[in-house]
Amino acid sequence: MPLKLSLKPGEKFVLNGAVVQNGDRRGVLILQNKANVLREKDIMQADEVTTPARRIYFPVMMMYIDETQASKFYDEFALRLTEFMAATRNPDAMADCVAASKHVLAREYYKALLAARKLVEYEDKLTHVASGL
């Protein structure tokens, strides 16, 4: 099943490890076969890895972007996931941790990334509540 990406002018994305940027007009890209694609909004830079959930998301993202280097990032993922699970009692967050772990072990990195994204969103909600926003 083809994947259709609607791109904003200048939007960047990663396609099988290569950073690609759309031109100055809206564009549509249709991928006819399986490829690892990550949109700009889902790409986390190393300097943005400042919270426990982001420390889980980042190595999963790196495994997804470059599966050949996945073993290099696995230990960091496992350590950070274990730390996060020890610190939370939220059943939904725990379920997302388990899902991320299962998907990583199955080498389903995009699905693991979706679960890790939920942890970042959960953490962001906690931060906003704690700060009174």
Side-chain angles (χ1 to χ4, degrees), residues 8-79:
K8 299 175 190 170
E11 183 175 3
K12 294 179 186 174
F13 60 98
V14 175
L15 176 62
N16 288 342
V19 178
V20 182
Q21 184 171 1
N22 189 32
D24 59 355
R25 296 185 187 149
R26 293 186 71 76
V28 174
L29 181 68
I30 299 172
L31 302 174
Q32 295 291 338
N33 59 342
K34 184 183 180 315
N36 291 349
V37 178
L38 200 57
R39 297 182 82 112
E40 184 173 13
K41 66 182 177 127
D42 296 320
I43 298 170
M44 185 178 291
Q45 301 298 325
D47 63 344
E48 297 174 299
V49 183
T50 56
T51 67
R54 285 172 171 75
R55 289 184 191 104
I56 295 167
Y57 184 91
F58 189 76
V60 174
M61 180 192 75
M62 296 305 293
M63 287 186 258
Y64 177 67
I65 289 173
D66 186 1
E67 290 184 43
T68 64
Q69 296 291 313
S71 61
K72 177 180 169 185
F73 298 101
Y74 178 79
D75 289 342
E76 180 71 13
F77 163 75
L79 171 67

